[in-house]
Amino acid sequence: MTHILSVSVLNKPGVLTRIAGLFSRRNFNIESLNVGKTENPEISRMTIVVQGDEKVLEQVTKQLHKLINVLKITELDKNSIVERDLILIRVKCTRKQRSEIIQIADTFRAQIVDVAPDSLMIEATGTEDKLEALTELLRDFGIAEFVRTGTVALSRGQAAK
Amino acid sequence: MPELNGGEIIIESLKKENVDVVFGYPGGAVINLYDALYNSDLKHYLGRHEQGVVHAADGYARSSGKVGVCIATSGPGGTNLVTGLANAQMDSIPLVAFTGQVSSSLIGKDAFQEADITGISLPITKHNFLVTDIKDLARTIKEAFYIARTGRPGPVLIDLAKDVTQAVAEFDYPDRVDLPGYRPTFEGHKLQINKAAKAINEAERPLLYVGGGAVISGAEKELRQMADKAKIPVTTTLMALGIYPEDQPLALEMLGMHGTQYANKATIETDLLIAVGARFDDRVTGKLDEFAAQADIIQIDIDPAEIGKNLDVEIPIVGDVKTVLQELIPYIEEKENGPWQERIKELKEKFPLKYEDDGSETIKPQYIMEEIDKYTGGEATIVTEVGQHQMWAAQFHKYKKPRQFITSGGLGTMGYGLPAAIGAQIGQPKEKVVLIAGDGSIQMNIQELGTAQAYNIPIKIVIFNNKYLGMVRQWQEIFFEKRYSSTKIPAPNFVKMGEAYGIWSKSVDKKSELDSALKEAMEHDGPAILDVHIPEEENVYPMVPAGAGLKDMIGG
């Protein structure tokens, strides 16, 4: 089971190391971890995607709470959040294949952000599933390299529920 | 407000925290702090190795109930603290460790004696700080002490860039801390308290399983009240020996791998296990799914992460043990002795701790513990190293009060005992402090004999000398067909060694001579070493093999 945790932390030196270190020490699996600023400059928000059953999740949450610089942990309910991941993919392509790849990108509302004689770079955002589908389709052309940010997520507003 | 340099700010802050004793070892990066110490009225104990220094602070904290403070320099000074910090973290001991760091302009440049001690100590401290600006110094110390001693206590390290201890600032010690991410729970949840009371009142065979958390919380009075009111038998972990007097009919003493048969059998038979500040360590539970398998479990702990960590519990209560027990006791019904208490009595009579004594001049280790118990009236503070002697000390001495047994429980640190005994004696100057050591363990921080001698710390060191690393040898005997791989350890002449340090020392190998030698050592004015030769291949029994269930206990 994957769980998405939204963790607000005090922006102190070493806070990322503390959290990453806790996961390795307690033998928890992180699928992805994302850190960014928030509306308050003293607070950062981490979005952590964790693998494990309810028991593991409970321990992860409790152990995270013990870190002095962790303020709040919320498990995000997948049904009431906006969840996004960003991917940059460089796909090998011949001149002939270019338009086909652009079509695929369009279908996924992805952007072409760089064009080279033998490759294209595509930028796409969306849920993990969507990005995986896109990657799968592009695999036929040969993926030179790609990078993903990992999930960031926020709960929807009350009215939208 | 007065202007002080960083070193002076530290001294003044320590005074504000009511610290009067520090343990330390100087060096380049803390030289300013040591300069400030020179004129201060803080008592500084110079160890012989930073590991000794941190264990001494730990032993001091355990015996006095106060925060232990230690100082080490940068680089190797800090890295030598590592074992001691991990040891304190495992047993939830409040420490504040100051380490020097190279000047802030040199950090990250691989400067002389630079080591990233905040990085290194991250997983083995409750929290740590690197101070690079003198303006943060006083507040950081305030926070460090607060974090170290509140909630579930633990070690906190403050790394001090050298320029911070040199710089000058106004000294303004904050009255309170502002730590929005740190709010320990003290009071138990009302609903859970009611549930627990109901379960206790309805239980036929309740059992209190008490751990170190109860000692830290100072809950001995409440525990006694609760056990005596509802006639609930009490078993304790290694960390809580003595919190419930072991001479009482309801006392079952230690449970677990080397626990008493009656404690382990009671754990198998109980229908309600009440865990009080105990964490279901593998050395206590053995095979988890067999542990207290007939029982519902109530778990009281200040650390929410301990609830359900190893074992699912029916009624968790997060809160300070003492507070929760106070809340709980009024709801507990008074009971008379019944079949369960009869059964406890029967178990105690039928399966006592025992050992073979052939009546010869051989000195059995268990006998030494009984003699020490007798000689001191069971009043001495017993400190141990780690190994067989530690288990004999736990088993064959009746403990009567909390903080009477000081030992490295969670981490199992050989080399802990000698420095910890020094610290424990400083923390309890009026008590008799006896160190029970193995011939292997004592050699791990033997240099601290120098500290004991220099300050005339009157600890009595009793070495259980079997010329083996006995506990590992025992495992090799039982599980590896006596293939004694690297466990034979020729001991030095401990008497000559003690004398070289200027310490009264004596060796004994005949039972008939033990009593008078013990008396001499105990009455000697100052530290003393008694090197007692015991059988080379004596085993600690009973024993639950690692990973087996408590019912599979062997020996004894």
Side-chain angles (χ1 to χ4, degrees):
Chain A
M1 267 268 282
T2 48
H3 304 270
I4 305 173
L5 297 178
S6 177
V7 184
S8 349
V9 298
L10 278 179
N11 218 343
K12 300 262 175 141
V15 66
L16 178 61
T17 322
R18 282 176 207 279
I19 289 186
L22 178 92
F23 274 81
S24 69
R25 184 167 77 87
R26 296 272 175 193
N27 207 8
F28 301 143
N29 281 322
I30 303 188
E31 201 153 280
S32 70
L33 189 156
N34 217 295
V35 202
K37 292 182 181 171
T38 63
E39 64 286 357
N40 181 342
E42 286 179 8
I43 295 172
S44 297
R45 189 189 313 277
M46 297 194 179
T47 310
I48 306 174
V49 181
V50 195
Q51 276 285 358
D53 57 18
E54 288 300 322
K55 252 192 103 128
V56 170
L57 181 75
E58 186 186 325
Q59 265 298 306
V60 169
T61 311
K62 286 172 164 179
Q63 294 294 350
L64 280 174
H65 259 302
K66 283 170 73 170
L67 297 177
I68 310 291
N69 292 332
V70 168
L71 297 176
K72 197 176 167 206
I73 304 162
T74 327
E75 193 197 350
L76 300 178
D77 172 2
K78 286 203 171 168
N79 299 316
S80 59
I81 54 166
V82 176
E83 138 188 33
R84 289 290 179 270
D85 197 338
L86 184 143
I87 191 169
L88 292 172
I89 316 176
R90 201 152 59 75
V91 192
K92 290 183 197 151
C93 86
T94 60
R95 193 171 303 191
K96 278 188 191 156
Q97 291 169 319
R98 214 173 265 163
S99 61
E100 193 186 341
I101 293 173
I102 292 171
Q103 251 179 18
I104 293 174
D106 280 348
T107 322
F108 282 84
R109 296 191 193 180
Q111 316 268 336
I112 308 297
V113 287
D114 183 56
V115 182
D118 58 351
S119 72
L120 281 179
M121 195 191 294
I122 298 169
E123 171 199 318
T125 59
T127 61
E128 258 189 57
D129 293 352
K130 173 181 155 184
L131 298 187
E132 257 150 42
L134 172 65
T135 319
E136 236 4 84
L137 281 174
L138 294 173
R139 211 175 285 283
D140 291 345
F141 302 93
I143 293 172
E145 50 183 347
F146 80 85
V147 62
R148 276 170 65 164
T149 57
T151 303
V152 290
L154 271 185
S155 290
R156 291 180 191 276
Q158 290 292 328
K161 270 186 180 172
Chain B
M1 262 171 281
E3 291 240 316
L4 300 177
N5 71 33
E8 291 162 343
I9 287 178
I10 295 169
I11 304 294
E12 290 309 310
S13 303
L14 290 177
K15 286 188 196 160
K16 295 269 185 193
E17 294 294 339
N18 296 317
V19 172
D20 39 27
V21 169
V22 295
F23 301 86
Y25 205 101
V30 284
I31 200 160
N32 298 301
L33 173 52
Y34 271 86
D35 188 60
L37 266 170
Y38 191 71
N39 284 328
S40 88
D41 40 19
L42 280 183
K43 178 74 187 163
H44 176 272
Y45 288 91
L46 172 69
R48 295 297 179 268
H49 185 294
E50 287 88 352
Q51 190 187 349
V53 161
V54 60
H55 288 327
D58 174 309
Y60 173 84
R62 291 188 206 222
S63 81
S64 67
K66 296 198 243 172
V67 178
V69 179
C70 64
I71 306 169
T73 192
S74 65
T79 57
N80 280 344
L81 294 182
V82 165
T83 304
L85 294 171
N87 187 72
Q89 170 83 343
M90 282 290 253
D91 289 346
S92 309
I93 304 305
L95 291 186
V96 172
F98 291 92
T99 49
Q101 182 52 275
V102 299
S103 285
S104 40
S105 59
L106 289 175
I107 292 177
K109 308 286 196 301
D110 300 323
F112 177 65
Q113 290 192 330
E114 179 181 0
D116 172 18
I117 195 62
T118 48
I120 292 168
S121 64
L122 205 98
I124 50 166
T125 49
K126 185 172 175 186
H127 194 58
N128 64 21
F129 299 91
L130 167 64
V131 185
T132 53
D133 185 340
I134 190 163
K135 289 202 284 297
D136 299 330
L137 183 56
R139 180 182 48 78
T140 302
I141 297 172
K142 177 85 187 173
E143 291 178 356
F145 274 87
Y146 181 75
I147 293 169
R149 74 170 146 237
T150 55
R152 178 179 184 171
V156 178
L157 179 136
I158 305 175
D159 200 20
L160 304 155
K162 184 170 179 179
D163 47 314
V164 168
T165 58
Q166 266 163 328
V168 171
E170 282 185 347
F171 175 61
D172 179 14
Y173 203 66
D175 295 328
R176 42 199 300 268
V177 293
D178 178 26
L179 293 165
Y182 179 69
R183 301 231 165 87
T185 312
F186 292 98
E187 280 167 29
H189 193 282
K190 191 88 189 127
L191 211 72
Q192 295 300 91
I193 301 262
N194 291 339
K195 265 200 220 169
K198 185 161 178 281
I200 293 169
N201 292 336
E202 285 172 4
E204 283 173 15
R205 301 182 302 279
L207 175 65
L208 278 156
Y209 149 50
V210 183
V215 177
I216 295 165
S217 171
E220 58 272 17
K221 212 181 88 210
E222 288 74 12
L223 191 72
R224 184 92 199 249
Q225 265 179 18
M226 172 137 147
D228 294 355
K229 188 175 181 186
K231 304 284 183 295
I232 309 174
V234 183
T235 178
T236 63
T237 69
L238 185 70
M239 297 306 299
L241 294 183
I243 188 149
Y244 186 81
E246 293 184 342
D247 52 5
Q248 294 297 303
L250 290 171
L252 295 171
E253 298 149 73
M254 186 168 75
L255 80 168
M257 183 176 271
H258 292 296
T260 61
Q261 294 224 37
Y262 35 93
N264 285 344
K265 288 186 193 298
T267 308
I268 293 167
E269 293 176 20
T270 177
D271 65 347
L272 180 71
L273 189 75
I274 310 158
V276 182
R279 60 184 177 85
F280 298 88
D281 178 78
D282 56 277
R283 286 298 190 261
V284 161
T285 63
K287 198 173 176 190
L288 262 178
D289 19 319
E290 288 181 17
F291 183 70
Q294 300 184 34
D296 277 350
I297 300 177
I298 298 173
Q299 187 180 2
I300 307 170
D301 206 295
I302 199 161
D303 179 359
E306 283 306 333
I307 310 270
K309 185 182 80 180
N310 294 334
L311 207 62
D312 289 329
V313 298
E314 280 73 19
I315 307 173
I317 307 177
V318 176
D320 168 54
V321 163
K322 187 185 173 92
T323 314
V324 171
L325 289 181
Q326 281 170 349
E327 291 167 315
L328 191 54
I329 289 168
Y331 298 101
I332 303 291
E333 289 164 9
E334 207 160 330
K335 287 208 177 135
E336 295 303 318
N337 285 334
W340 176 232
Q341 291 72 20
E342 271 308 307
R343 173 69 179 151
I344 294 295
K345 196 175 157 215
E346 183 192 343
L347 287 173
K348 286 180 77 167
E349 282 165 4
K350 233 166 133 180
F351 305 101
L353 282 172
K354 56 177 190 272
Y355 60 94
E356 279 168 29
D357 194 340
D358 59 8
S360 72
E361 280 284 39
T362 307
I363 307 176
K364 286 287 186 139
Q366 301 90 337
Y367 174 76
I368 310 173
M369 286 317 304
E370 290 172 345
E371 288 303 290
I372 290 172
D373 193 344
K374 218 187 289 169
Y375 185 81
T376 58
E379 294 290 336
T381 297
I382 305 290
V383 185
T384 78
E385 294 281 353
V386 167
Q388 285 184 312
H389 65 275
Q390 179 190 27
M391 292 299 112
W392 287 316
Q395 293 174 330
F396 289 90
H397 182 288
K398 298 278 184 204
Y399 296 93
K400 297 183 195 167
K401 49 194 179 184
R403 303 189 183 278
Q404 195 191 352
F405 183 73
I406 292 176
T407 200
S408 166
L411 198 67
T413 309
M414 290 172 70
Y416 169 77
L418 175 54
I422 293 170
Q425 181 74 78
I426 293 165
Q428 295 178 340
K430 288 182 184 141
E431 302 292 334
K432 181 139 289 224
V433 174
V434 181
L435 170 66
I436 307 299
D439 55 307
S441 283
I442 189 85
Q443 294 185 63
M444 277 212 187
N445 272 315
I446 192 90
Q447 76 286 346
E448 298 305 322
L449 288 176
T451 312
Q453 190 275 332
Y455 298 100
N456 197 31
I457 314 275
I459 53 170
K460 310 304 171 194
I461 304 168
V462 183
I463 302 174
F464 286 26
N465 190 346
N466 59 7
K467 300 159 199 81
Y468 271 109
L469 299 174
M471 188 57 97
V472 181
R473 186 210 56 75
Q474 174 172 342
W475 283 43
Q476 288 171 338
E477 176 188 327
I478 300 173
F479 307 116
F480 293 87
E481 296 153 344
K482 291 201 178 188
R483 291 155 58 86
Y484 292 161
S485 181
S486 297
T487 41
K488 183 90 193 150
I489 179 169
N493 184 325
F494 286 116
V495 172
K496 281 189 179 166
M497 177 175 272
E499 283 167 358
Y501 276 103
I503 292 178
W504 183 97
S505 305
K506 187 166 189 159
S507 189
V508 197
D509 58 7
K510 288 191 191 66
K511 194 174 174 186
S512 57
E513 290 165 5
L514 181 67
D515 271 10
S516 64
L518 207 54
K519 185 163 184 287
E520 260 186 285
M522 294 291 178
E523 284 175 5
H524 179 75
D525 182 22
I529 295 173
L530 206 56
D531 169 35
V532 188
H533 293 253
I534 62 168
E536 292 192 3
E537 299 190 25
E538 182 76 11
N539 287 341
V540 180
Y541 288 123
M543 176 184 193
V544 179
L550 295 186
K551 67 170 172 23
D552 303 316
M553 201 160 214
I554 52 176

